[in-house]
Amino acid sequence: MSRSMPGRSWIAVLAAVVLALAACSGGDDEADESSRTPDGERGSASATPTTAPISISYASAREFSSYNNNVAEQANPANAVVLNHVLRGFWYFGPDGERVPDTDFGSFEQVSSNPQTVQYTFAEEAVWSDGEPLDCDDAVLAWAANVGKWPTGKRDQYTGTKLTAFSAFTPAAWADVSRPECADGDRSFTVTFDRVFADWTSLFGPGTILPAHIAEKGSGVKDVIAAAEQGKSATMQKLGRFYNTAWVFTDGRYDTALAPSAGPYQVASWKPGEALTLEPNPKWWGTVPAARNVVIRMIPEDEQAQALIDGEVQVIDPTPTEAMLKTLGAAGEAVRVSHHDSFVWEHLDFNFEGKFRSRALRQAFAKCLPRQQILDELIKPVNPQAEVLQSRFRTPFQEGYEQTAATGGQAFAEVDVEGARQILKQTKKTGTKVRIAYLAPDLRRETEVKLIKKSCEKAGFKIEDGGSYTFFSSELKRGDFDAALYAWTSSAMLSQTYSIYVSKGTQNYIGYRNKNVDLLLERLYSELDPDRQLSLLEQLDTTLWEDIATVPLFAYPALLATSAQVQNVQYNPSWAGPTWNADTWSAPAP
């Protein structure tokens, strides 16, 4: 999971926003739900066998900036919506955010369980758009860039973390993976894990594999495979400098020679602030894309609904507002609209190193939290199907949510002011001041605090609005808060929560410690059986409710709207966004 915040830390964990699970919460007039194919496959019966002479536009509020979406400073969902079909991988994000094997790109399988070993094989015809085959050196570069080796001796100016040659994401499981075993030119390679990893299918995914032959030429490191094998810090830092900077395109001058395609589309043109156009990659070896062009248009979120109605774009997925829904509703049958829960979820956390080290005080506060009222007033107006979130490990549309939701949160489903008042009276804590911190300015969270204040002050608490411009960089990291409101971005990764709840975890900002939780997280990291995985998640949620460590509030609302003429567009809760299957989008020819 990732903290919902700007900057390097938020982006870094978002990449783990690798996501297994079931249908999104239903909405009004589900957007082309009938086009869904088995197991989240991209293909569709209505996709044409040859590229049709049509152009379909998608609205993005953020500008594309980098061909390399692995670099922490550049990683951005706005890059992902462009790169989904430019840099394919061994799997992709399916319609519910799950990992689906990309059989056009290649295949992979676990070939040994002791030690855990996985074999990957590129498709026999797989080549970059410049004609260079995808093979061993590309896999080795992907591993080297993510493994977290070769320290530079410098530290991150924000976090103090020791920097390494490649500015990629937090190593996570990559640190437990061996260098790919293969030789130059090999289409197949294997990796071995130091310990069993439940999320072993999450490596070498979309956007991870970049052209090693370009990196070799640009960096002056003649052989990526030999360099990684020898592991000389100076050589790897030289390669890393190219990797970190050469693929950043901020002026609209996309260089196809420097950034070739390994997917059905390639970048045809880009005018910053206006649009980026994708066209078919003539070297693509897989299923031919349905549309001649997919255009990513830069349009502010508050203008996207009107742009859809005016025909400027055919696909939008902005953060919904009441005004936006009114605009779309006035369009009638000309547009399709569907409502969804996203992977981002709001929660209130207690500081275990302050006054809330007292479980009784946490219990009293949880009793007076108006969770249903917060949902009704702030979320339901834009997502009528929304419900109070009861789990920290599954969101309502995911498989397993019902089991993990029935773990203790129901005790705090309804406001119990009298119960909270009695606890405060018995513990002689009436009048306790609680400063609720969050990143300001934020009108929604300011309203959340007001609703909490109105409810909990009836019980005997004194609530202070602790909104701050420096919340993430200062108050949260220093533990300068009593309670805090912020969000995590969830996914299907079982290992995603390890650093949040494990004792002294890098994202355990509340100082929570529980030896049983530590043990359960260790078991979950290596558990391969789905039933036992769910059982462990239930035990974790149960323990966290018993400790009242955090209180989940709601999943963020999401919206997908399309022109009634466009087919095969499906919502996707991952950062891949709706363009996850843009190669199958279709519409009547003009």
Side-chain angles (χ1 to χ4, degrees):
M1 294 190 183
S2 69
R3 191 165 71 252
S4 184
M5 60 176 284
R8 177 169 178 155
S9 298
W10 175 71
I11 293 296
V13 190
L14 248 184
V17 173
V18 270
L19 316 148
L21 309 126
C24 301
S25 61
D28 310 329
D29 306 320
E30 285 291 330
D32 201 28
E33 191 70 15
S34 62
S35 67
R36 179 169 294 184
T37 55
D39 303 318
E41 294 177 1
R42 284 193 177 100
S44 168
S46 60
T48 54
T50 58
T51 304
I54 60 172
S55 178
I56 300 176
S57 295
Y58 164 75
S60 175
R62 303 179 70 180
E63 185 79 72
F64 173 79
S65 64
S66 178
Y67 171 80
N68 186 352
N69 216 22
N70 299 290
V71 174
E73 292 84 357
Q74 295 295 324
N76 192 321
N79 293 331
V81 299
V82 172
L83 297 172
N84 282 333
H85 299 291
V86 174
L87 289 175
R88 295 271 278 262
F90 282 96
W91 55 268
Y92 58 87
F93 295 109
D96 303 314
E98 77 279 21
R99 295 186 295 274
V100 180
D102 191 334
T103 55
D104 273 341
F105 191 83
S107 62
F108 62 102
E109 62 177 330
Q110 181 173 296
V111 294
S112 172
S113 59
N114 187 23
Q116 187 179 40
T117 304
V118 181
Q119 182 178 47
Y120 296 81
T121 303
F122 291 105
E124 185 176 351
E125 308 87 355
V127 295
W128 294 97
S129 54
D130 60 9
E132 186 75 17
L134 278 100
D135 54 27
C136 177
D137 58 351
D138 300 310
V140 171
L141 177 62
W143 170 83
N146 288 280
V147 73
K149 292 187 175 183
W150 307 292
T152 64
K154 299 179 181 180
R155 291 180 179 270
D156 184 279
Q157 61 176 324
Y158 301 109
T159 65
T161 304
K162 292 181 179 179
L163 298 178
T164 55
F166 295 86
S167 180
F169 301 110
T170 303
W174 287 95
D176 294 330
V177 176
S178 68
R179 186 180 70 253
E181 297 179 24
C182 55
D184 189 23
D186 286 354
R187 290 284 194 174
S188 183
F189 63 94
T190 60
V191 296
T192 302
F193 291 80
D194 292 340
R195 55 173 172 161
V196 175
F197 182 46
D199 292 316
W200 62 271
T201 61
S202 65
L203 305 185
F204 299 101
T208 305
I209 300 171
L210 292 159
H213 66 286
I214 300 293
E216 289 171 339
K217 181 179 179 180
S219 68
V221 175
K222 296 182 179 180
D223 188 338
V224 165
I225 299 172
E229 183 176 0
Q230 294 166 8
K232 293 182 179 179
S233 183
T235 302
M236 298 309 289
Q237 288 187 45
K238 186 178 180 182
L239 185 61
R241 282 191 292 273
F242 177 89
Y243 183 92
N244 299 336
T245 62
W247 285 309
V248 178
F249 303 131
T250 57
D251 59 0
R253 299 178 182 177
Y254 189 100
D255 186 347
T256 54
L258 188 66
S261 172
Y265 284 109
Q266 61 186 9
V267 175
S269 64
W270 176 26
K271 294 182 179 180
E274 296 184 27
L276 184 149
T277 300
L278 299 174
E279 65 180 5
N281 168 16
K283 294 289 187 179
W284 173 242
W285 59 92
T287 304
V288 177
R292 175 75 66 186
N293 297 109
V294 172
V295 182
I296 315 297
R297 298 194 184 280
M298 301 298 106
I299 301 175
E301 285 200 339
D302 61 355
E303 299 176 15
Q304 289 184 9
Q306 192 60 51
L308 176 66
I309 293 170
D310 293 343
E312 186 178 355
V313 294
Q314 289 76 48
V315 182
I316 64 172
D317 67 332
T319 302
T321 65
E322 291 183 73
M324 185 183 298
L325 295 180
K326 184 177 180 180
T327 299
L328 292 170
E333 296 182 357
V335 300
R336 295 192 187 98
V337 179
S338 60
H339 299 279
H340 308 268
D341 288 321
S342 75
F343 271 117
V344 183
W345 58 280
E346 185 86 342
H347 54 96
L348 182 138
D349 287 4
F350 297 107
N351 186 348
F352 276 68
E353 296 178 351
K355 61 191 68 175
F356 278 118
R357 66 171 59 90
S358 165
R359 184 188 182 281
L361 200 62
R362 298 195 302 275
Q363 183 183 29
F365 201 81
K367 281 180 175 291
C368 66
L369 279 176
R371 292 199 290 161
Q372 186 66 52
Q373 185 182 11
I374 290 172
L375 184 84
D376 290 344
E377 294 192 18
L378 300 179
I379 305 303
K380 280 202 170 184
V382 292
N383 184 3
Q385 289 77 36
E387 57 185 273
V388 172
L389 187 63
Q390 299 288 11
S391 172
R392 302 163 186 83
F393 301 96
R394 289 288 183 264
T395 42
F397 64 86
Q398 292 180 280
E399 183 179 345
Y401 175 73
E402 291 184 2
Q403 294 94 314
T404 57
T407 51
Q410 290 72 20
F412 306 102
E414 297 182 4
V415 172
D416 182 6
V417 170
E418 182 58 32
R421 182 184 295 119
Q422 289 301 317
I423 293 174
L424 291 179
K425 183 177 179 180
Q426 292 167 7
T427 58
K428 298 181 180 181
K429 295 293 185 180
T430 301
T432 295
K433 294 181 180 180
V434 178
R435 184 164 59 89
I436 303 177
Y438 61 90
L439 181 66
D442 189 319
L443 181 59
R444 193 200 68 244
R445 288 191 175 119
E446 182 180 330
T447 304
E448 287 180 55
V449 173
K450 287 180 179 178
L451 294 174
I452 294 170
K453 178 181 177 70
K454 184 177 180 180
S455 179
C456 288
E457 288 197 343
K458 293 178 182 178
F461 285 102
K462 297 297 182 183
I463 307 300
E464 176 185 341
D465 187 319
S468 167
Y469 295 98
T470 59
F471 172 66
F472 285 120
S473 61
S474 179
E475 285 87 348
L476 184 62
K477 290 183 178 179
R478 292 189 290 108
D480 185 16
F481 63 93
D482 299 320
L485 288 168
Y486 58 110
W488 293 112
T489 299
S490 186
S491 77
M493 286 279 284
L494 292 167
S495 55
Q496 66 183 330
T497 57
Y498 188 91
S499 65
I500 298 173
Y501 301 115
V502 72
S503 298
K504 298 183 179 181
T506 56
Q507 292 180 292
N508 186 347
Y509 303 112
I510 63 177
Y512 174 69
R513 292 175 177 82
N514 184 305
K515 291 183 179 179
N516 185 46
V517 168
D518 293 349
L519 178 61
L520 290 170
L521 288 169
E522 284 291 336
R523 291 173 57 191
L524 184 65
Y525 185 94
S526 297
E527 181 54 67
L528 298 176
D529 181 85
D531 291 336
R532 288 198 289 267
Q533 290 171 356
L534 184 56
S535 175
L536 290 169
L537 291 176
E538 288 183 84
Q539 293 176 61
L540 282 164
D541 248 331
T542 298
T543 304
L544 288 165
W545 275 119
E546 290 173 349
D547 289 344
I548 318 176
T550 67
V551 181
L553 298 175
F554 56 82
Y556 278 39
L559 169 78
L560 175 67
T562 71
S563 163
Q565 300 299 311
V566 176
Q567 304 297 318
N568 299 335
V569 182
Q570 297 179 41
Y571 175 73
N572 192 308
S574 77
W575 80 337
T579 64
W580 73 276
N581 72 333
D583 57 330
T584 70
W585 291 357
S586 63

